[in-house]
C-alpha cells in the first residue's frame, strides 16, 4: 500500500449507517494511514463538521435519520471546500447529476470496489492539497493573481497585497459578475457590522482599479453601481 501524500495524516469523516460497511471502511482507512472519524446520522455528521475540520468527507445518502445530501448542503452552505465523495445505493443518473450539481466531488454507487474508493480518495486529496500553485493562480486581463501569497503580476509591475486587500480581492473573485453591496463587503471582508457607514470599500476599490485596470477612470473589471455597490468582471 502506498502511504498517503507527504505522510501527512488526512482527516476523513465517514458518514455511513450500515454498520458492517462502516466498520470495514474504518479499518481500511486506518490501514491507509487516514485519521478517521465516523458516524451514522445526519445530525451527528453536522455536529462533527461544526466542531472540526475534515480534509475529506465520505457520505452515504440514505441515512437512518434523513438524507445525506443535507450534510453536503450544510458543508457547502458554510462555504467549506472540503471534498465530498458520495456513496449511494441510488444509481440512477438523475441522482448522480443532482448530487454533482450540489457540489459533490465524486460519486460511487454501491456496491463498489474498495480499491476504487481508496484511489478516488487519494486523487481528491492530491487535488486539494498537492497542487496549491495551480488552484491558487487566478488570471484576468493582463493580471496574474497568486492569492495565497497576495502577489500580483500586473501590466504595471509586481504588487504585494495587504491582508485585507487579498481578502477583498478573493471575495470579488469568488463572486464574479454579482453586484455586492458595501455592507456585505464590510461584513464579509472586514468583519464589521453592516450599519457602519464608511468610505473604506470605495477607497480599496479605487486602489484595485489603479493596480489592475488599464484605465482606472474607465474600469472594466471593478464596476461601481450607484447606490448598490460593486461588481467584479474577470
Ligand atoms: Ca445507508
Amino acid at each position: 500500500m502506498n502511504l498517503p501524500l507527504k505522510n501527512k495524516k488526512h482527516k476523513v469523516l465517514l458518514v455511513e449507517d450500515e454498520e458492517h460497511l462502516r466498520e470495514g471502511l474504518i479499518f481500511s482507512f486506518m490501514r491507509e494511514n487516514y485519521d478517521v472519524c465516523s458516524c451514522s446520522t445526519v445530525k451527528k455528521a453536522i455536529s462533527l463538521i461544526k466542531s472540526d475540520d475534515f480534509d475529506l468527507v465520505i457520505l452515504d445518502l440514505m441515512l437512518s435519520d434523513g438524507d445525506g445530501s443535507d450534510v453536503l448542503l450544510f458543508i457547502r452552505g458554510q462555504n467549506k471546500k472540503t471534498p465530498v465523495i458520495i456513496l449511494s445505493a441510488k444509481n440512477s443518473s438523475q441522482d448522480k447529476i443532482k448530487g454533482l450539481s450540489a457540489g459533490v466531488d465524486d460519486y460511487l454507487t454501491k456496491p463498489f470496489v474498495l480499491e476504487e474508493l481508496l484511489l478516488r480518495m487519494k486523487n481528491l486529496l492530491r487535488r486539494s492539497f498537492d497542487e496549491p500553485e495551480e488552484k491558487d493562480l487566478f488570471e484576468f486581463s493582463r493580471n496574474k493573481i497568486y492569492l495565497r501569497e497576495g502577489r500580483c503580476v500586473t501590466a504595471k509591475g509586481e504588487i504585494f497585497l495587504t491582508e485585507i486587500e487579498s481578502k477583498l480581492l478573493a471575495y470579488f473573485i469568488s463572486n464574479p459578475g454579482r453586484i455586492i453591496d458595501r455592507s456585505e463587503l464590510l461584513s464579509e471582508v472586514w468583519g464589521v457590522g453592516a450599519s457602519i457607514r464608511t468610505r473604506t470599500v470605495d477607497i480599496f476599490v479605487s486602489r484595485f482599479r489603479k493596480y489592475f485596470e488599464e484605465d482606472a477612470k474607465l474600469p472594466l473589471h471593478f464596476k461601481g453601481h450607484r447606490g448598490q455597490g460593486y461588481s467584479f468582471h474577470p
Side-chain angles (χ1 to χ4, degrees), residues 80-135:
K80 290 197 184 190
K81 300 255 160 54
T82 321
V84 175
I85 300 178
I86 293 276
L87 297 182
S88 174
K90 296 181 177 177
N91 63 354
S92 78
S93 54
Q94 271 303 15
D95 279 324
K96 284 196 186 185
I97 290 160
K98 211 176 124 198
L100 290 167
S101 63
V104 169
D105 300 276
D106 214 336
Y107 199 113
L108 269 178
T109 303
K110 291 177 188 172
F112 55 87
V113 178
L114 175 65
E115 289 304 322
E116 188 180 352
L117 173 62
L118 295 175
L119 194 68
R120 291 189 186 205
M121 288 169 71
K122 251 176 220 164
N123 285 341
L124 276 179
L125 287 166
R126 185 176 297 131
R127 250 191 267 160
S128 23
F129 291 92
D130 258 23
E131 296 167 7
E133 296 84 349
E134 256 176 63
K135 239 177 74 181

Side-chain angles (χ1 to χ4, degrees), residues 45-52 54 74 78 80:
I46 287 177
S47 92
L48 284 167
I49 289 159
K50 271 185 193 163
S51 61
D52 212 339
F54 295 97
F74 179 79
Q78 297 229 310
K80 290 197 184 190

Side-chain angles (χ1 to χ4, degrees), residues 16-18 60-64 110:
E16 171 61 67
D17 65 347
E18 282 166 51
D60 179 26
L61 278 192
M62 286 188 277
L63 296 164
S64 55
K110 291 177 188 172

Side-chain angles (χ1 to χ4, degrees), residues 182-184 186-187 190-201:
R182 289 175 181 76
S183 59
E184 179 178 338
L186 283 169
S187 80
W190 280 265
V192 298
S195 58
I196 293 176
R197 288 176 67 93
T198 158
R199 293 256 311 140
T200 308
V201 173

Side-chain angles (χ1 to χ4, degrees), residues 31-87:
R31 201 180 50 192
E32 291 286 304
N33 205 29
Y34 291 118
D35 192 351
V36 193
C37 187
S38 73
C39 66
S40 57
T41 62
V42 171
K43 205 176 155 198
K44 182 73 183 163
I46 287 177
S47 92
L48 284 167
I49 289 159
K50 271 185 193 163
S51 61
D52 212 339
D53 273 321
F54 295 97
D55 298 325
L56 180 66
V57 177
I58 312 289
L59 182 63
D60 179 26
L61 278 192
M62 286 188 277
L63 296 164
S64 55
D65 68 333
D67 192 331
S69 56
D70 287 342
V71 177
L72 176 69
L73 291 175
F74 179 79
I75 295 172
R76 296 299 176 246
Q78 297 229 310
N79 272 327
K80 290 197 184 190
K81 300 255 160 54
T82 321
V84 175
I85 300 178
I86 293 276
L87 297 182

